[in-house]
Amino acid sequence: ETGVTQSPTHLIKTRGQQVTLRCSSQSGHNTVSWYQQALGQGPQFIFQYYREEENGRGNFPPRFSGLQFPNYSSELNVNALELDDSALYLCASSSNSGEETQYFGPGTRLLVL
Amino acid sequence: GEDVEQSLFLSVREGDSSVINCTYTDSSSTYLYWYKQEPGAGLQLLTYIFSNMDMKQDQRLTVLLNKKDKHLSLRIADTQTGDSAIYFCAGSFDSNYQLIWGAGTKLIIKP
């Protein structure tokens, strides 16, 4: 069974640029959630995708957008990057079958200069 | 909105038990989770408890849930140096299954 994978592991961008982060869900999982974790803080929920549709969204602006593909992998896109977007971005997959446990990937560390 | 709170640090001696505490404000939780995060790494699921349970034990880990006081704890027996990490409490409080997280408790092991 393959776990959750994310790419890239690290990324450096400058203000105003756009970034795409990728996530492959664990085998058998159809739901992907994205979180932002700033240094020294707990993760903050960005949004969740279930069967290619957005299934819930946290308090993040529209420049944070996402996609889920038929194989349940997912992308997080951030436009017009700001310095405060520097964080660890975590992807989690789950089966949405009533048991909600989310399994996390190793994260992508984004630094915006 | 929902809030989850944890103390920021806990220091214990190697071999002692560690007890990490968490409180939450929303009584409509379904599942409550404990995750472990080592430096530079992602989040590792340790254990979880369904909201209709009071206790769950899994090897060295014991989770206690007091629904009346909205208090969750994680006890790690015989704490080892490999247990050094940040421990996050999280709960699912609505039907979208999004998790609400505490700020994490850094567990420091003294020799």
Side-chain angles (χ1 to χ4, degrees), chain A residues 35 37 40-45 48 55-57 88 90 96 98-107 109, chain B residues 8 30-31 33 35 37 40-45 48 88 92 94-104:
Chain A
Y35 294 84
Q37 186 180 21
Q41 297 182 23
Q44 297 292 315
F45 176 72
Q48 182 183 87
N55 189 42
R57 190 179 182 93
L88 180 68
L90 294 160
N96 201 18
E99 197 280 289
E100 306 162 19
T101 302
Q102 297 184 13
Y103 295 88
F104 283 80
R109 189 162 297 280
Chain B
L8 294 181
T30 50
Y31 290 92
Y33 300 85
Y35 284 84
Q37 188 174 39
L43 290 154
Q44 175 194 352
L45 175 68
Y48 64 92
F88 289 94
S92 58
D94 66 24
S95 61
N96 284 339
Y97 309 129
Q98 66 167 287
L99 294 179
I100 308 298
W101 297 76

Side-chain angles (χ1 to χ4, degrees), chain B residues 48-82:
Chain B
Y48 64 92
I49 189 167
F50 190 54
S51 58
N52 68 353
M53 297 169 65
D54 297 323
M55 187 183 92
K56 181 177 180 181
Q57 187 154 3
D58 184 1
Q59 299 182 341
R60 292 192 298 125
L61 304 178
T62 303
V63 179
L64 295 177
L65 176 59
N66 181 329
K67 288 185 289 293
K68 175 175 170 291
D69 294 338
K70 299 177 188 175
H71 181 266
L72 181 74
S73 68
L74 173 70
R75 179 177 179 270
I76 305 171
D78 186 25
T79 308
Q80 302 298 307
T81 54

Side-chain angles (χ1 to χ4, degrees), chain A residues 54-103:
Chain A
E54 188 176 289
N55 189 42
R57 190 179 182 93
N59 189 26
F60 279 80
R63 59 191 185 82
F64 285 77
S65 63
L67 281 174
Q68 186 178 33
F69 300 99
N71 66 355
Y72 303 128
S73 66
S74 177
E75 284 182 357
L76 163 65
N77 299 289
V78 187
N79 293 323
L81 282 166
E82 300 177 1
L83 296 180
D84 284 350
D85 295 333
S86 296
L88 180 68
Y89 288 85
L90 294 160
C91 162
S93 75
S94 53
S95 64
N96 201 18
S97 61
E99 197 280 289
E100 306 162 19
T101 302
Q102 297 184 13
Y103 295 88

Side-chain angles (χ1 to χ4, degrees), chain A residues 2-7 22-26 34 74 91 104-107:
Chain A
T2 307
V4 179
T5 60
Q6 292 186 244
S7 64
R22 295 179 174 83
C23 171
S24 292
S25 58
Q26 184 167 309
W34 285 92
S74 177
C91 162
F104 283 80

